[in-house]
Amino acid sequence: MKRKNAEVIGNVLMGMGMVVMVGGVGYSILAEVSQFNLPQFFAHGAIMSIFIGALLWLAGARIGGRERVADRYWWVKHFDKRCQNNPRRPSH
């Protein structure tokens, strides 16, 4: 698969995952707090859709090449010893 196609497919899967997750959260909240009398059976399915959306997101990140953790993230910069610039400590 060409790099451009992989990026497009990865972005589409990540977008679909985000839509499925947000839709699942929205339906779960509406089923619990609204007076629309939505079926509880679908509310349990909506909770499952959050996990399915997360899997779609991760699959898209893997295909699109975005699964690596970059050193620009705060946690990595401050707590990962490989990314700290400490002149007194030699790196491996």
Side-chain angles (χ1 to χ4, degrees):
M1 185 182 307
K2 292 184 180 180
R3 182 177 177 93
K4 180 81 172 169
N5 291 339
E7 285 181 5
V8 170
I9 291 172
N11 286 340
V12 167
L13 284 174
M14 288 174 70
M16 284 176 31
M18 179 62 78
V19 168
V20 169
M21 283 189 288
V22 170
V25 169
Y27 189 88
S28 293
I29 291 171
L30 279 176
E32 292 295 326
V33 298
S34 71
Q35 277 108 27
F36 294 132
N37 293 327
L38 299 173
Q40 285 295 327
F41 176 74
F42 293 130
H44 297 301
I47 292 172
M48 185 64 185
S49 73
I50 296 168
F51 295 104
I52 292 170
L55 287 175
L56 281 172
W57 177 277
L58 290 173
R62 176 76 179 174
I63 291 171
R66 298 175 192 251
E67 80 277 1
R68 293 183 298 155
V69 175
D71 63 346
R72 67 176 176 261
Y73 295 115
W74 186 87
W75 183 266
V76 175
K77 271 186 185 178
H78 290 88
F79 293 105
D80 191 354
K81 293 187 181 10
R82 295 172 294 170
C83 297
Q84 291 179 350
N85 294 326
N86 192 352
R88 290 179 271 162
R89 220 174 158 187
S91 61
H92 297 351

